Amino acid sequence: MRKKIILLILCLLLPVLGGCATDNAIPDLSEKEMQMVEEYAARLLLEYHKGYRPTTVTDDELLSERERIERQAQVQQQIASENAARAAAKEEKKKDEAREGGDGGDGGEGSARETSGPVYTDIDEFFGLSGFNIEFSRFLVCENYPETTENDWQGVVKATAGNRLLVSEFNISNTGGEDAVLDIGACNPRFTFRINNSFSKAAMMTMLLNDLALYRGTVPAGETVTGVLVIELTQAQAESVDSLTMIMRSADDRGELTLK
């Protein structure tokens, strides 16, 4: 094949070279010279091939491709960070539930763990919320919460099929003489409920505007608003709640409050 390519090139060059060639013999070429002739022949054939497209890209095309790769890398890094954050939060939730002695994931039965250390019975004192008084009001069992709403944009929590919501309501009172902003979310609180001293469930993360774990709003002086925490139980569990204890955590502090 190489001989044929060289012969083709020489045939094309003979009219130009004229008297330079004394006969039709193929001259002896070094390996490097043979490679140069082959590359030239290949380029020449490709140039006249209808389907040939040059592979050289412009600076603008290189810049565009580099920017695309960088954007893709940024998106992948963001996705990885979000996945890591969700995994860490899930692991922390599992640890909280394990410390309470119940599996918490499906409401299954588990042995209640005896606790030690300081036990707080005052929610606002536990979280250091001066100027506010937070007291448990009641709990109710329902399929949806709130059960009725006048605002389409207000969040609604719905129990999955065969389950019920156990909603604990709290009165949040501003005991000061001026309107004040309450920001419980800044305390990074975690709430878990121990049911019948046999198993535990972590409070759900909801989109409710009055979710106690995320509450941030202005409470007028001397007035009271309602905060809630929600867990999901099977219908049988929800209908047989004999005792209910709320465990509070903030950083390394732990406290509990008997609700029933």
Side-chain angles (χ1 to χ4, degrees):
M1 183 63 183
R2 295 174 64 182
K3 291 286 187 179
K4 290 181 180 179
I5 295 175
I6 295 171
L7 181 59
L8 175 62
I9 298 301
L10 291 177
C11 289
L12 294 173
L13 294 178
L14 280 176
V16 179
L17 298 177
C20 295
T22 58
D23 53 37
N24 292 332
I26 297 176
D28 293 332
L29 300 175
S30 66
E31 185 68 22
K32 183 176 181 180
E33 290 171 334
M34 291 280 284
Q35 184 178 357
M36 293 174 62
V37 172
E38 291 175 0
E39 291 177 355
Y40 176 78
R43 288 198 300 269
L44 188 63
L45 292 173
L46 286 173
E47 183 176 349
Y48 290 97
H49 191 278
K50 292 182 179 180
Y52 171 70
R53 291 182 60 190
T55 57
T56 304
V57 296
T58 65
D59 292 341
D60 290 341
E61 290 173 332
L62 285 174
L63 179 61
S64 177
E65 180 65 13
R66 185 180 298 111
E67 291 176 347
R68 184 189 69 80
I69 294 175
E70 290 176 353
R71 287 195 300 270
Q72 184 178 6
Q74 291 174 355
V75 171
Q76 291 175 343
Q77 183 178 5
Q78 182 178 359
I79 292 174
S81 298
E82 292 176 353
N83 288 339
R86 283 194 291 267
K90 185 176 181 180
E91 185 64 24
E92 182 64 25
K93 180 179 178 180
K94 287 183 178 179
K95 290 180 180 179
D96 286 346
E97 292 169 346
R99 282 193 290 264
E100 294 311 316
D103 62 17
D106 56 8
E109 297 297 324
S111 59
R113 185 176 70 90
E114 293 298 327
T115 61
S116 60
V119 175
Y120 298 83
T121 57
D122 191 278
I123 302 173
D124 46 273
E125 178 185 343
F126 176 81
F127 291 109
L129 302 172
S130 60
F132 293 96
N133 183 40
I134 304 177
E135 294 183 345
F136 172 70
S137 173
R138 63 168 183 163
F139 74 85
L140 61 151
V141 176
C142 54
E143 294 185 24
N144 303 322
Y145 186 86
E147 296 179 275
T148 59
T149 177
E150 298 178 356
N151 302 314
D152 294 337
W153 49 265
Q154 182 175 343
V156 177
V157 183
K158 297 183 179 181
T160 55
N163 292 337
R164 295 291 184 271
L165 302 178
L166 180 65
V167 182
S168 299
E169 293 186 345
F170 301 85
N171 291 330
I172 305 172
S173 302
N174 181 351
T175 58
E178 299 180 354
D179 297 352
V181 175
L182 175 62
D183 187 3
I184 299 182
C187 302
N188 192 26
R190 301 190 302 279
F191 297 96
T192 305
F193 291 84
R194 188 165 62 242
I195 298 92
N196 297 339
N197 287 319
S198 60
F199 66 97
S200 300
K201 296 283 289 189
M204 299 171 58
M205 298 292 290
T206 75
M207 297 297 291
L208 296 173
L209 298 180
N210 60 339
D211 188 321
L212 185 64
L214 304 172
Y215 192 92
R216 188 180 192 281
T218 299
V219 182
E223 294 193 11
T224 298
V225 297
T226 301
V228 299
L229 291 171
V230 183
I231 60 175
E232 187 176 46
L233 303 173
T234 66
Q235 182 173 353
Q237 291 170 344
E239 293 174 352
S240 60
V241 177
D242 296 322
S243 66
L244 183 64
T245 302
M246 183 176 71
I247 294 91
M248 304 171 285
R249 286 192 176 86
S250 179
D252 295 329
D253 295 328
R254 180 188 183 283
E256 64 180 55
L257 175 66
T258 299
L259 306 183
K260 180 182 180 181

